[in-house]
Each structure stands twice: as C-alpha cells, then as structure tokens.
Amino acid sequence: MLNLRIGGAGASTFCLPLVAALFCGAIVTAQEPATGPTPAGAKPAPPAAEQPAGAQPAVAQPAVAQPAGEPAAPGAQDPVVTQPAAPVYGKVRADEARLRCWPSDVATPPVFEDVLAKDQVVRLGERDNGFRAVILPLGPLGYVSKRFTVMAEDGTVTTKGSKVAFRYRPRTSEAPVAQLAESTALHVIDEQGDWFRARAVGVPAWLASADVEEVEADDAVEKAYEAFAANTQAASQARLDAIAAEKKRRELDRIDLEAVQVVEAAFTKELAKPIEEQRFDGLKKALAKVEKGLQKDGTARGAAASLQKRIETQQWIAEATAVTNSEPPAADAEPQKEQPKDRLERFESIGWLRYESRIAEPGVFYLEKGGRRQLELTCRTGRFDLALFVGREVGVIGPRRSPLGEVLGTLDVARIEVLGAAR
C-alpha cells in the first residue's frame, strides 16, 4: 500500500499523476524476463527432429572447473557437466555399467561404448532426474567425422568449425550427444572409415543413481582414480606413439636411401669411363660399409642389394672384356713334326674277306667290317684267287661300281694285301 502526504491542493493535483506513472512502470519491469548471454559452456539443445527417443532436452549448465590432474583440451569449450570445486568420487555398484548419453529413463537408452566394471572409481557431477553425471578423465568414447577435424603431423587431432557433432556411434541420422567448439582437442583411439573414434574432455555421461554411490576421498580412492585416468590416457597415447615411431622409421629410411644413393652416383660415374678403365673394388667396399648401418627391415636394404648385383655384373663384364682384348703371351714356336701318313690310306677299302655260298648260283665274296657288309668283291682278271683270302683281314684296291638294283657296290680287285690273320 502506498501512502503519500502531499502538501497543498495544488501540489496534490500535480504530483498524483507522476506518482501513478512511476508505479505502473515498476510493475511492468518486474514482469519481463531477464535477458543476457548464455552461460559459458552451456550445451546447445539439438533440433526437435534430431532429439533421440527418450532424451532430455539440453539445458544450459554452469561452467565447470577442470578437475585437478586431468589434461585440459586447448581451445575446447567449457565442460557442460557441473562439478563441485572439490572432486566428488564414487564407486560403481553394478557388475557392468553402461554410460548413458542423456539422463533419460527409457527401455533402450542411447549409450556410449564405455563399460565400467564393478567398484570402478570415478568422479561424479550433478544429479538429474534420478541419474548422476559421471566425469571421465578424457570424456566418454564417441565418434567425430573426419571432415570436421584437422590432424597435425604428430597425429594430434582437433575439431574444425563451430558446433562439431560428437556422436555415440558413427551415424549422421541421429542427434549428436554434444557439440564441440572450434579447435577442441580429440583424444583419438583409432579410425573407422570416415570417423575418428575418440574422447573429448567435458562431454557428459550418466549413470542411474542406483548404479553408483559416493565414497570418501582417501589415498586408496585417489590412487584408484589416477590408475583409471592413466589407463584411459594410455589408449590414445599408444596411437600417438605408433605414429611417432612410424615417422622416425620413415626418416631413418630416407637417411639410409641417401647413403645408398651416394654409392649409386659413384657407380654411375664409373660407368661413364671406358670399360678398360672401370674399377669396382672400392665401390663394393663402400656399399658393404653402408649396408652395416641400414635398418633391418628398411626399404634401403632392397635398394642396396639391387645395387650390389649391378656392380658385380658390371665388374664381371669389365673383366671379361679385358681378357678378350688382351694379347696372348708370346711362346717359343716348336718345329712342327711331319705327321706320318697312314699306310692304309692307299687302299680303296679294308675289311674281313667273307664268302657266302648260294643254292643253284655261284657264291659271293664280300668285305665285312664292324659286323656289316661293305662291298662285294670280284676279280675278273683272275690274278687273285679270292678263296685263298677268306677269313683274313685284307686291303683291296680296284675300280668300284654300283650295279642297278643292288644294295651293295662291287669292287673289282686289282690288288689285295693281307693285313690280319685269319679268324
């Protein structure tokens, strides 16, 4: 109730309208909602069409202080889960607890891939609708499209663009769990096609309040959480270590190949010389020295083995060419002895003289050599009685003819000499 005392009738006539106006303005101002910027780190609500079944609408949350001992993501948005200044620890009660994406109680809720074992120590955040926020060391395991990321040479990955979707499985047909700010650090575990499977600090995860209980913070609890954080960090660090090892291997491979190429350049220079001036012993020693320092499974070993074969082949060609072009050493000429002429060359044919009798026909004399008939023999002049030479090795001289239809030629004996005893 407003009590005003106005002095004088004139004063009352002037002041009452002014007081009434001021009073009405105060009432209107009190009814308008206060406006201002959204709190830092608030989770943007996805469009109604993208909200998963049973999911709670995203509500702007106050910013959270980074838990002590956890790596801060450079350029990341403020966490969206409220956490007290002093960390609150909890233990998982369920045998296997699946982390939910939203604090919603539905038959088949969207869940992350993380599965917490019984008695696992975690940090806890706010309560909401019968659920408790669970703050993982690097955030829950989810998926981010590679199109909206940038990967540095050392393998570290950050988001590219504002409101980059963080999803609990690699599907674009569902509403994202959270939206990450520009240059948010992703702790990548591995890759699945066009997706990075990664963690992001500050992304909320939830457990039913019945599946987790608060515990007093003591040395055992803090050490258990530190071990949990170390194991979580090790998975993403293993990928970075593998990338660094591969980068180091490629660098050593490059250095090894350069060493082999130095020897190869010297080999090419040697090939430009005349072949009689080419020398390869020094190159072979240099290559052997280089091979001792090469990586065991590096590609430079194959290049060195190929170069060694080329050097050995060219050395063999050079040595063979030198031998071919060299003049044989002069030797004392020995007088050539006149080879005696074969005394049997004067005979027309040589062999064992045989006789073959025929029924109702005159017998036939022939020469046999090596078990085969050579010639049939006749002596038209009658100078020699061929029957006296049967069974002896003889040499015969005389004209030879080949009658038509006959397989063997015929020699008419003009001279005959016995060469061997009868048999």
Side-chain angles (χ1 to χ4, degrees):
M1 181 175 181
L2 181 64
N3 294 321
L4 295 173
R5 298 191 66 178
I6 307 295
S12 176
T13 304
F14 173 77
C15 295
L16 283 174
L18 177 61
V19 171
L22 293 173
F23 181 70
C24 292
I27 294 173
V28 171
T29 303
Q31 290 176 344
E32 291 180 354
T35 58
T38 303
K43 172 183 177 181
E50 295 183 357
Q51 285 283 9
Q56 293 290 335
V59 180
Q61 303 285 354
V64 177
Q66 182 70 22
E70 292 183 2
Q77 67 176 22
D78 293 334
V80 296
V81 179
T82 302
Q83 182 188 12
V88 177
Y89 293 100
K91 277 190 178 181
V92 177
R93 289 179 177 178
D95 291 337
E96 287 187 351
R98 299 296 299 271
L99 292 171
R100 302 191 182 201
C101 301
W102 293 279
S104 58
D105 192 9
V106 294
T108 55
V111 293
F112 293 107
E113 293 183 6
D114 299 271
V115 180
L116 302 181
K118 187 175 182 179
D119 295 330
Q120 175 65 62
V121 175
V122 294
R123 285 186 179 178
L124 302 179
E126 64 179 326
R127 293 181 175 86
D128 187 355
N129 195 29
F131 289 86
R132 194 69 184 266
V134 177
I135 304 170
L136 298 181
L138 298 178
L141 194 58
Y143 295 84
V144 177
S145 174
K146 291 181 180 179
R147 292 188 302 160
F148 305 107
T149 61
V150 176
M151 185 167 68
E153 290 186 1
D154 61 355
T156 55
V157 179
T158 55
T159 57
K160 178 180 64 175
S162 61
K163 297 183 179 181
V164 175
F166 184 87
R167 305 177 184 276
Y168 71 96
R169 54 184 176 181
R171 295 183 183 178
T172 57
S173 59
E174 301 168 335
V177 177
Q179 293 176 327
L180 307 179
E182 177 86 23
S183 301
T184 297
L186 298 177
H187 302 274
V188 178
I189 306 301
D190 53 32
E191 303 176 32
Q192 293 187 10
D194 295 331
W195 299 84
F196 280 124
R197 185 165 169 260
R199 300 181 184 274
V201 175
V203 175
W206 301 85
L207 282 178
S209 297
D211 291 339
V212 64
E213 63 178 348
E214 288 190 17
V215 294
E216 292 289 336
D218 55 22
D219 289 343
V221 168
E222 290 180 355
K223 288 181 179 179
Y225 182 79
E226 289 173 2
F228 178 45
N231 289 336
T232 304
Q233 180 70 29
S236 60
Q237 187 61 42
R239 171 183 166 273
L240 295 178
D241 292 343
I243 291 174
E246 177 61 19
K247 183 178 180 181
K248 182 179 179 181
R249 188 195 65 79
R250 289 198 301 267
E251 178 61 19
L252 291 176
D253 236 9
R254 183 188 64 79
I255 295 173
D256 289 348
L257 281 172
E258 287 181 354
V260 175
Q261 288 168 357
V262 169
V263 181
E264 186 174 17
F267 173 64
T268 303
K269 186 176 181 180
E270 197 70 22
L271 290 178
K273 299 178 181 180
I275 194 166
E276 62 272 7
E277 298 179 9
Q278 295 176 7
R279 301 292 182 269
F280 300 99
D281 289 339
L283 290 177
K284 291 171 68 176
K285 291 180 181 179
L287 184 59
K289 186 176 180 180
V290 168
E291 282 184 306
K292 290 181 180 179
L294 299 180
Q295 295 185 86
K296 184 177 180 181
D297 300 325
T299 56
R301 281 202 171 272
S306 176
L307 179 58
Q308 183 179 17
K309 289 182 179 179
R310 291 169 58 194
I311 292 174
E312 291 175 350
T313 300
Q314 187 61 28
Q315 184 178 30
W316 179 85
I317 294 173
E319 292 174 351
T321 303
V323 171
T324 302
N325 295 339
S326 62
E327 296 181 359
D332 296 335
E334 296 183 358
Q336 295 292 330
K337 296 182 179 179
E338 185 178 353
Q339 295 294 330
K341 292 184 178 180
D342 187 357
R343 294 184 301 109
L344 301 179
E345 287 182 358
R346 64 184 185 275
F347 295 110
E348 186 70 26
S349 183
I350 298 172
W352 296 89
L353 198 150
R354 307 296 186 190
Y355 176 75
E356 179 183 351
S357 59
R358 296 179 178 177
I359 299 174
E361 290 184 12
V364 177
F365 294 96
Y366 63 90
L367 279 181
E368 180 185 88
K369 188 174 183 180
R372 298 180 61 184
R373 291 189 181 188
Q374 303 295 318
L375 292 168
E376 289 187 2
L377 300 179
T378 61
C379 187
R380 294 184 179 183
T381 61
R383 181 178 179 184
F384 301 104
D385 183 1
L386 298 180
L388 298 177
F389 300 94
V390 172
R392 296 178 180 272
E393 185 181 17
V394 297
V396 293
I397 299 173
R400 181 185 297 191
R401 65 182 185 276
S402 297
L404 294 174
E406 296 291 336
V407 177
L408 295 178
T410 301
L411 185 142
D412 189 26
V413 178
R415 182 175 177 82
I416 185 170
E417 292 185 18
V418 176
L419 304 177
R423 69 172 185 177

